[in-house]
Amino acid sequence: MTIPLAPFVAPSQTGNNWFFAGLTSSFPNLIESGADVIREPRVCENGESVPGCKVFNIPADDVSQARQVEGKEMSLYNGAALQDQVLIFQYKGKIHAVDNKCPHSAFPLANGIPFDIEDFGVVLSAGITCPKHGWSFDLFTGIADRSNYKLRTWEVQLRPVEKSETDQGGDENPKTNEDIQEVWVRRKQRIG
C-alpha cells in the first residue's frame, strides 16, 4: 500500500509581507561618513528639500495598516511608540532599513549618524551611532560595538519601475528605468 506524501508547505507568517516605501529618488543619498543626523532635511534629486530618511510605523500583525511617521514624531523619545517603527535611508548608494528604536536605550535612530566601519583605512561595512549613549550598530548585521545588543535589520528589495504606456511610444514590451526603482521592505524572515 502506498501512502501519498503531502508536499511540505511552510505556514504563512503574519507581519512578513513586503511594504512599498517609495522610489529610490525620494531618499537623499547620504555620502558624508559621520557628518550629519539622518533625519535632517536634504535636497533630493528632484530639487525638493526632504528629510534624509523615512520612518514608517508597521504593525507586526497587519502590514496593510502601515503609516508614514513624519516631522518631529519620527524623532520623539518614546520607547512604546518606536516599537513597530522602521527607519529607511540611503547611505552611499545603498538603501538600509533598520528598527528606528535603539536596542540599548530605546532612543530613535532617526537622530543617529551613519558612518563607515573601517580598519586601517579600508571600508569594511557601514554603521549607525545612537546619539544617546554613543553606541554603534552595523547596518548589515545589526551587531553592536559593545555588549550583546543587536539592532534588527529589515530586508530591502529594489524593484524596477515600469513606464506607463504613453511613455513607451507604442512599444508592446514595458520598459524600465534603471536609475529609479521602487523600494520595498519587510521584517526579516525567521529561519527555523
Side-chain angles (χ1 to χ4, degrees):
M1 177 167 139
T2 307
I3 300 173
L5 297 174
F8 174 75
V9 178
S12 176
Q13 297 181 4
T14 59
N16 286 326
N17 299 326
W18 289 99
F19 172 77
F20 176 67
L23 299 174
T24 52
S25 60
S26 67
F27 293 91
N29 189 11
L30 311 176
I31 54 174
E32 292 289 325
S33 176
D36 295 316
V37 173
I38 294 174
R39 69 173 169 78
E40 290 178 353
R42 291 172 177 78
V43 178
C44 236
E45 291 177 13
N46 59 9
E48 210 176 305
S49 180
V50 297
C53 64
K54 290 185 182 182
V55 175
F56 291 92
N57 188 356
I58 304 178
D61 56 347
D62 189 3
V63 174
S64 67
Q65 298 298 315
R67 67 173 182 83
Q68 186 167 356
V69 178
E70 298 181 289
K72 293 180 182 179
E73 189 183 352
M74 82 167 87
S75 61
L76 290 177
Y77 180 46
N78 180 347
L82 297 172
Q83 188 62 36
D84 290 327
Q85 288 186 3
V86 60
L87 168 67
I88 307 167
F89 63 98
Q90 184 175 189
Y91 179 64
K92 294 195 173 181
K94 171 97 171 113
I95 301 286
H96 297 278
V98 298
D99 278 356
N100 190 30
K101 178 181 170 182
C102 173
H104 166 246
S105 65
F107 197 77
L109 290 176
N111 294 326
I113 300 172
F115 66 96
D116 291 334
I117 298 174
E118 299 180 2
D119 189 19
F120 295 104
V122 176
V123 176
L124 302 174
S125 190
I128 185 169
T129 300
C130 177
K132 185 171 182 188
H133 293 122
W135 286 39
S136 298
F137 302 90
D138 188 295
L139 289 171
F140 295 96
T141 65
I143 295 174
D145 62 349
R146 53 193 104 152
S147 192
N148 289 330
Y149 290 99
K150 188 169 182 181
L151 175 66
R152 182 175 19 173
T153 58
W154 292 53
E155 290 183 72
V156 175
Q157 189 177 74
L158 300 179
R159 300 178 185 175
V161 177
E162 292 185 8
K163 290 186 178 183
S164 66
E165 290 182 22
T166 57
D167 293 340
Q168 294 175 17
D171 291 348
E172 292 181 19
N173 297 329
K175 295 179 182 178
T176 60
N177 184 340
E178 294 175 10
D179 296 334
I180 300 176
Q181 297 177 312
E182 295 177 341
V183 178
W184 291 80
V185 298
R186 73 172 176 179
R187 287 179 173 84
K188 283 202 174 176
Q189 303 281 330
R190 289 184 55 155
I191 299 174

